[in-house]
Amino acid sequence: MTVGMLDLAQIQQLENEHQPSLYAKREIALVRGEGAYLFDSDGRRYLDAMSNYGVAILGHADPEYGSALSEQLHTLATGHQSFYSDVRAELLSEISSIAPTVLTRYFLSNSGAEAIEAAIKFARVATGRPNLVAAKRGYHGRTLGALAATADQKYRAPFEPLAPTTTHVSFNDIAALEAAVDDQTAVVLLEPIQGEGGIWPASPEFLQAARDIASKSGALLIADEIQTGFRTGAPWAIDMSDVVPDILVTAKALANGFPIGLTLCTEAISSALPSGTHGTTFGASPLACRAVIVTLRLLRERDLYARSAALGTELMNRLNALGSPNVRQVRGRGMMIGVELKERVTPTLRALQERGVLVLPAGPTTFRLLPPLIWEQEQVDEFVVAAESVLLAN
Ligand SMILES: Cc1ncc(COP(=O)(O)O)c(C=O)c1O
C-alpha cells in the first residue's frame, strides 16, 4: 500500500489498530508542511502555532534546511563518536558560540529525555550524591530518570517506583526550595519557563535563589531549556537573568525536527566522568550535526531571535487587548505563550482547529502557542483574528 494513497479513514484505522493507545489523537492526519502552514489529508490548510511541540522552529519544508540535510545524507549520514568527525567538530564550535561561557563540554544525544538523563547521571557522578529537587508542574521527560523529575502524577504513577528520589517544591517558592535542598541533593532541576505545566515563567528572584541555594549546598543547578531553547528572543531563556547553571539541557528546536538532545556542562563536571560510562549509538551523527549547524545558521542569518521577541510581545499585547471574559491570563516570552482560560481548554482547541489554527494545550485550562519563528506580521494577524472569533464567541 502506498502511504500517499491512504485516505483519512484508512490512516486512522491503521494507527488505531497498530499503535499502543497512548495518545488522545485529534481527528485529522497531517501530511504536508510549508513554511508556517500544515496541510491535512483532505488538503485543508492550518496555521501552525505549535511547531510540533516547539520543534519546527524554521517552519516546514525549508529549502535551505532540506538541501543541507540532503547533501549530508549523500556524503555521510551516520558515524559513532569513537571516531572524529569534521561535521561534529564544526557543530561543537557553533555551540560554543552560543553556550554560556563556563559551559564548555557538550554531550549530544537523541531526545530531550535522553539529554536530561545524561544531565542527572553527570550530576550524580560529579557530586557523589543521589537525590533531585525539582518543581511542581515541572516536566522533564518520560524515561525513568527524567520521569522521576517530572511532577505530574498522570505521567508518573503508572510506572512507579521510579529511580532517583525527587522532592518537588512549588515553583517560584524560594523558602520551599531552601528547605528541600540538603547534603544528599545532587541536582536542582528547573525549567526557566515551565512549558507543559502551563507556561509559567520563573521569577528572576527564584532563579537567582536556586543558583545560590544549589551552590551553598554543593548541589548542581540544571536549567532544562528543552522547550524554552531558541524561542524566547535569545538562545536561552536564562539569558533574561544573570544566572549561569552548571548544566544546561536542550533538544526540540535545536535541529528543527531532526531528533536531537544536548547536555552542556562545565569542565569540572566533565572531568568527573569516567571514560566509557555513558554514550549513544545515534547521538552526534554527521546528519544530526549538520541539522543543528544549518538550524543555528538560519536562525542567525534571518535574525529570528529579534523578530520572534518583537512578534511575541505583539501577540501577547493583542491577545490581552481582546479583553475576552473567558481569559484569565496571557503570559510567556517571545514565541512561547500561554493563554489561561477560566474554563477547560479542549473546546477552544477544537474551535481554533475548525477555524484553521492549530495550538497545543498546556495543562487543563491553558492553550499554548509555540509557533515557528518564521511567523511574520501576516501570521500574527491571522492568529489574532481567529483567536478573537473563538475567545469572544460567547
Ligand atoms: C521542558 C521539557 N523537558 C523535557 C522534555 C522531554 O523531551 P522529549 O519529549 O524530547 O523526550 C520536554 C518535552 O516536552 C520538555 O518540554
Side-chain angles (χ1 to χ4, degrees), residues 15-361:
E15 288 209 15
N16 293 339
E17 257 178 41
H18 296 297
Q19 281 196 307
S21 48
L22 293 170
Y23 295 95
K25 288 181 194 271
R26 302 218 210 162
E27 57 282 4
I28 55 176
L30 298 172
V31 299
R32 190 170 73 80
E34 195 181 315
Y37 297 92
L38 287 163
F39 296 82
D40 73 12
S41 51
D42 294 328
R44 179 154 189 226
R45 188 180 93 152
Y46 299 86
L47 176 64
D48 180 8
M50 52 182 195
S51 49
N52 184 29
Y53 286 78
V55 170
I57 202 153
L58 299 171
H60 303 284
D62 182 276
E64 278 192 69
Y65 178 80
S67 314
L69 261 69
S70 167
E71 199 180 317
Q72 190 63 52
L73 255 180
H74 288 96
T75 308
L76 184 65
T78 192
H80 196 262
Q81 300 185 62
S82 49
F83 290 82
Y84 288 101
S85 148
D86 56 342
V87 199
R88 191 180 309 126
E90 190 183 338
L91 160 87
L92 294 170
S93 153
E94 280 283 336
I95 293 174
S96 73
S97 69
I98 53 165
T101 333
V102 298
L103 303 185
T104 51
R105 298 278 173 166
Y106 318 127
F107 177 76
L108 279 132
S109 52
N110 313 289
S111 70
E114 217 184 307
I116 291 284
E117 294 290 332
I120 295 171
K121 287 176 74 176
F122 293 1
R124 281 178 140 194
V125 170
T127 60
R129 297 172 174 191
N131 296 341
L132 315 184
V133 174
K136 291 179 185 167
R137 277 192 325 238
Y139 182 86
H140 303 285
R142 309 211 198 188
T143 52
L144 284 177
L147 188 57
T150 296
D152 195 332
Q153 280 302 318
K154 177 178 87 182
Y155 301 123
R156 298 167 56 93
F159 303 104
E160 285 181 328
L162 305 173
T165 302
T166 308
T167 308
H168 290 102
V169 300
S170 293
F171 197 54
N172 284 335
D173 184 339
I174 296 174
L177 183 62
E178 190 142 38
V181 174
D182 62 21
D183 64 3
Q184 291 304 295
T185 308
V187 166
V188 175
L189 173 55
L190 296 170
E191 294 159 85
I193 302 172
Q194 291 186 319
E196 299 298 314
I199 315 292
W200 296 97
S203 69
E205 299 76 28
F206 183 66
L207 277 184
Q208 188 57 56
R211 176 63 284 174
D212 297 342
I213 292 165
S215 298
K216 200 167 111 204
S217 84
L220 300 178
L221 178 65
I222 303 182
D224 180 344
E225 296 251 16
I226 287 171
Q227 194 162 142
T228 47
F230 310 99
R231 62 169 55 254
T232 63
W236 317 117
I238 47 147
D239 292 343
M240 66 186 162
S241 72
D242 293 329
V243 168
V244 181
D246 302 292
I247 302 180
L248 188 153
V249 183
T250 195
K252 287 191 187 286
L254 176 64
N256 187 44
F258 197 89
I260 194 90
L262 172 64
T263 308
L264 303 90
C265 70
T266 61
E267 204 62 38
I269 295 168
S270 163
S271 60
L273 299 172
S275 170
T277 51
H278 193 68
T280 153
T281 299
F282 290 123
S285 71
L287 192 55
C289 293
R290 181 59 66 206
V292 178
I293 292 166
V294 64
T295 302
L296 294 179
R297 177 171 66 75
L298 294 176
L299 285 174
R300 215 176 29 242
E301 282 177 7
R302 297 175 185 175
D303 199 21
L304 293 181
Y305 295 123
R307 187 161 99 204
S308 62
L311 289 182
T313 305
E314 179 185 334
L315 258 171
M316 282 195 279
N317 290 340
R318 289 176 65 183
L319 289 170
N320 264 321
L322 294 179
S324 164
N326 296 331
V327 172
R328 191 181 302 282
Q329 196 183 30
V330 179
R331 50 180 180 257
R333 196 178 177 87
M335 287 301 211
M336 181 172 186
I337 297 172
V339 179
E340 186 181 354
L341 305 177
K342 294 180 185 160
E343 57 198 15
R344 295 192 78 79
V345 73
T346 312
T348 302
L349 299 181
R350 276 214 196 94
L352 282 168
Q353 182 171 313
E354 274 157 27
R355 289 201 52 102
V357 174
L358 295 174
V359 296
L360 295 166

